[in-house]
Amino acid sequence: MQLKEFENLILNSVKELINKIIIKNLKPKIYGKARIGATISDYFEDEFIKISNNHKNIKNVRGAEKSNTKSSYDIIFSFVIDEINLSEIILIDFKAIKKDGSDSNPDIGSVKKVINLIRNGSFYILYVYYMNELGFVEFVKNNNEYSKLYFLKDVSSSFRRTPTNQLQVNVDALPTYRTRTRKEFINLFILKIKQSHIRAIKKSNDWLLALASIQDEISIKNENIENNLLDKLKKLYNKVFIFLIPSSKQYSLSNILFTKKIISFLINSLVIMDNVFRSVILICGCLDLISLIIFNLA
């Protein structure tokens, strides 16, 4: 048996089971809007475990813990060929695609997940895409198929790394079969990650170079605005100061009450000001006014 035949046997075996699950119930009773994809994955996990119970090649099937939302797989099993004493660990990651979201780019796992998988001696991650109607769960065909399956090693070369270190690929991107299975994929994988980090470093360096001029620009802009504000506050202070100082040291009750209103106005103005420095200026002005009033009342 050639390697491609072996991989096709895995794909066809899993696809047969997935299609049985879907066709058996095109409208499963799955409700809820929050994390609906995770709920559908749980449904597939439970049904897959049941339906594969007596399968000739698919053995030791188990699903991820329902509470573990960060699991690297939805289902894990051993694909066994007893005649040649072969057993290969296979991971399945279910991907829900909405009928009107064919141009989406779902995550297909983190960079760290893929590296750890290969480090631990495994290699095959099988992505199972299925489509459901928007608003309720109903499995529908896309390109005359209920499901789309391929291994990570055959992912389209258009896949990319995001700034959050996740791998993404467009759902419509066709897989590319790679004959030199591990070597070819690993080389492409490392190249993609390296290119992504180089772009990120360049972007960071561009920002670092620009920060000095940005700081000067916004500092000058802020200084002009701040000086304009302080000039206006100074004029307001002078007007209030002239108005409050009478020709005589005798204050009438009405003047005192009006002075209190002016002070209240200045204090209340602090509440709506969002700049701490401006608030400090007004507080100092209020304290000066209060000192002058006390002096004149003395």
Side-chain angles (χ1 to χ4, degrees), residues 41 45 62-64 71-76 91-95:
S41 292
E45 289 172 31
R62 58 188 185 277
S71 175
S72 59
Y73 62 88
D74 291 319
I75 291 176
I76 186 171
L91 287 75
I92 294 181
D93 193 357
F94 290 112
K95 298 295 177 186

Side-chain angles (χ1 to χ4, degrees), residues 21 31 146 164 212 214 242 252 292:
I21 295 171
Y31 306 101
Y146 279 116
T164 57
I214 291 173
I242 293 171
S252 66
L292 287 168

